[in-house]
Amino acid sequence: MRSALQTVALAGAVIAAVAGGPARAADVDWPHFRFDDNHTGFQPFETLLDAGTVRGAKLSWKANLGTGSRSLVDFSSPAVAGGVVYIGTADGRLWAYPADGCGVDICNTPLWTTDSLGQIVDSPAVANGVVYVGSQTDDGDNSGKLDAFAADGCGEAVCQPLWQGDAGAQSVLQSSPTVWKGLVFVGAFDGKLYAFDADGCGAALCEPVWSAQTGGSIESTPTVSKGALFVASDDGKLYVFKAKGCGKKSCAPLWTADLGGTPFESTPAVSKGLVYVASQHTLSVFPAEGCGAKTCSPVWQAIEPTDFFGGSPAVADGRVFLPLESTLAVYSAKGCGEAVCEKLRTLVGSGFQDGIVSAPTVANGVVYASRNSGEVIAWSTKGCGQATCAELWKGATEDPLLSSSPTVVNGKIYVGGSQGGGGSQTAFLYVFEP
């Protein structure tokens, strides 16, 4: 079933096509990490950027996200909603800029920002006029918080949270908030999944509606599909819960599955009844409805015993795209009819080779990923007729390490990074377009 956002975007494309103009879905929102509710990384409404036009993409503008010893974008990926782009920086600040820029090459004045929340290395989520982001406090105990702000700001240059959620005694790191039916979920480094009322509790600090303990730290972003919540834990397991909770403050999983290694920040993607999640050396695929037992086995796996998977799988166009060292590995989404499947092809970028730890993005026949060489790289999803395919395009930032995942929407490629070093750098939001 399409979301309201998707229905509006599709209607816009159809009207333009009927009118004889280019079929573009104007003002599409990218409201949270991995774009859609199933966290597939697939943005299906892009019409301006494709395999041809992306070759002409250049840095259009960038936004200043502050200077200091911790002024960098570390994993936080941009959200675009209501004409505003939001991103977090490692010095604990959330930033809001006009999604179309400010008319000059470098934008130095945000719509609004925040005081330091300690540390932010996750991605903001926007829903119902509120922007949520997870943080690590800077008060000496490194406790985790879910922070909620008015998406349109507060009428001042620096805004305070509407409320915060108590997410335990340890940090919220790469686990980004997920909003579903009045609840907002986030994982923390204490190994717990937390569920809060998305409207808060009427106080400055809110306790979770329910929580669940896993056997390891949670860096994975929760994914909700058909009422089931999927999250990976660093104990090497996939956990599945009832998203609405269990009627108690602490809930047990419906079922779990062995991932064959530590998933770190890999976020489950759900597509066509299957859930995809990666660990260090293994991509595992399970039936999203479970197997009727408390522990489930994979439908199929891809195993790379000597190389490491990174980031989160993207699922689109019948393919799974997953970072493998400095490349993207491509698999058939339906598997190969065997327990263990080989990759269909490998996507490589030219020039200096460095690791890809960002989550790939797929839009209009193109797959994008950030590389630690400071580049955003784009490939065709259709391949090249060979086992190894080169890029269509790459765009350079000044960041020597680029872990932010590309947000591709409305003909623009957004990604966070930084430049400088030696104890002081400036963080930037970079925007590319043809």
Side-chain angles (χ1 to χ4, degrees):
M1 181 178 294
R2 294 190 186 98
S3 67
L5 165 77
Q6 293 169 330
T7 301
V8 170
L10 184 59
V14 171
I15 290 171
V18 170
R24 59 170 295 181
D27 300 322
V28 172
D29 285 350
W30 182 296
H32 54 70
F33 185 57
R34 311 304 290 131
F35 180 72
D36 63 353
D37 292 344
N38 291 320
H39 287 162
T40 62
F42 175 45
Q43 198 273 85
F45 305 114
E46 185 58 41
T47 58
L48 298 178
L49 281 167
D50 57 26
T53 58
V54 74
R55 296 176 187 270
K58 295 179 175 62
L59 182 64
S60 177
W61 56 276
K62 59 185 180 180
N64 190 321
L65 307 179
T67 300
S69 61
R70 294 192 299 152
S71 293
L72 69 158
V73 177
D74 187 12
F75 281 98
S76 189
S77 302
V80 177
V84 179
V85 54
Y86 305 88
I87 193 168
T89 46
D91 60 358
R93 299 177 72 184
L94 179 67
W95 300 79
Y97 270 94
D100 289 333
C102 58
V104 295
D105 292 343
I106 302 178
C107 298
N108 290 308
T109 305
L111 295 172
W112 59 271
T113 185
T114 69
D115 290 322
S116 177
L117 302 167
Q119 177 178 249
I120 295 174
V121 292
D122 61 308
S123 304
V126 186
N128 301 316
V130 179
V131 55
Y132 304 90
V133 71
S135 65
Q136 168 189 302
T137 61
D138 224 2
D139 54 10
D141 62 1
N142 294 332
S143 60
K145 293 290 186 294
L146 174 72
D147 308 285
F149 295 86
D152 58 359
C154 59
E156 303 290 339
V158 178
C159 295
Q160 304 303 317
L162 298 172
W163 58 271
Q164 293 181 298
D166 184 355
Q170 296 186 43
S171 312
V172 174
L173 292 178
Q174 288 95 334
S175 185
S176 300
T178 294
V179 185
W180 175 85
K181 292 189 176 181
L183 294 172
V184 55
F185 306 95
V186 71
F189 214 66
D190 62 0
K192 283 188 176 182
L193 172 74
Y194 293 92
F196 297 92
D197 189 317
D199 292 328
C201 61
L205 183 64
C206 298
E207 296 301 314
V209 176
W210 64 270
S211 65
Q213 182 71 57
T214 72
S217 52
I218 297 179
E219 302 167 76
S220 170
T221 295
T223 298
V224 180
S225 179
K226 296 183 177 180
L229 185 150
F230 304 83
V231 70
S233 172
D234 286 347
D235 63 356
K237 292 182 180 180
L238 174 69
Y239 288 79
V240 185
F241 301 91
K242 286 184 178 180
K244 65 181 180 182
C246 59
K248 301 177 182 179
K249 285 292 186 181
S250 181
C251 294
L254 298 171
W255 56 274
T256 65
D258 186 359
L259 300 178
T262 306
F264 299 112
E265 70 275 3
S266 186
T267 292
V270 180
S271 178
K272 296 183 178 180
L274 297 173
V275 55
Y276 304 78
V277 65
S279 63
Q280 294 156 297
H281 299 287
T282 307
L283 168 66
S284 298
V285 184
F286 303 93
E289 294 184 354
C291 59
K294 287 295 185 181
T295 303
C296 292
S297 299
V299 175
W300 64 269
Q301 292 179 305
I303 300 174
E304 299 288 344
T306 59
D307 293 330
F308 287 87
F309 288 118
S312 304
V315 186
D317 300 338
R319 300 287 185 260
V320 183
F321 303 88
L322 184 63
L324 182 64
E325 299 285 352
S326 60
T327 70
L328 284 190
V330 185
Y331 302 89
S332 171
K334 63 182 179 182
C336 60
E338 304 290 339
V340 178
C341 296
E342 300 296 324
K343 56 181 174 284
L344 299 175
R345 68 183 71 95
T346 300
L347 307 181
V348 300
S350 59
F352 182 79
Q353 300 299 298
D354 212 332
I356 297 175
V357 297
S358 72
T361 295
V362 180
N364 201 17
V366 181
V367 56
Y368 303 80
S370 302
R371 188 169 68 176
N372 273 341
S373 57
E375 298 162 310
V376 182
I377 307 179
W379 298 267
S380 171
T381 60
K382 297 178 180 179
C384 60
Q386 301 178 28
T388 301
C389 297
E391 81 271 9
L392 297 170
W393 167 86
K394 61 181 180 179
T397 71
E398 299 98 335
D399 192 347
L401 300 175
L402 205 60
S403 54
S404 177
S405 299
T407 292
V408 181
V409 66
N410 301 323
K412 298 178 179 63
I413 305 162
Y414 301 84
V415 69
S418 57
Q419 66 180 73
S424 180
Q425 52 267 328
T426 301
F428 285 102
L429 169 74
Y430 297 93
V431 184
F432 299 88
E433 56 186 316

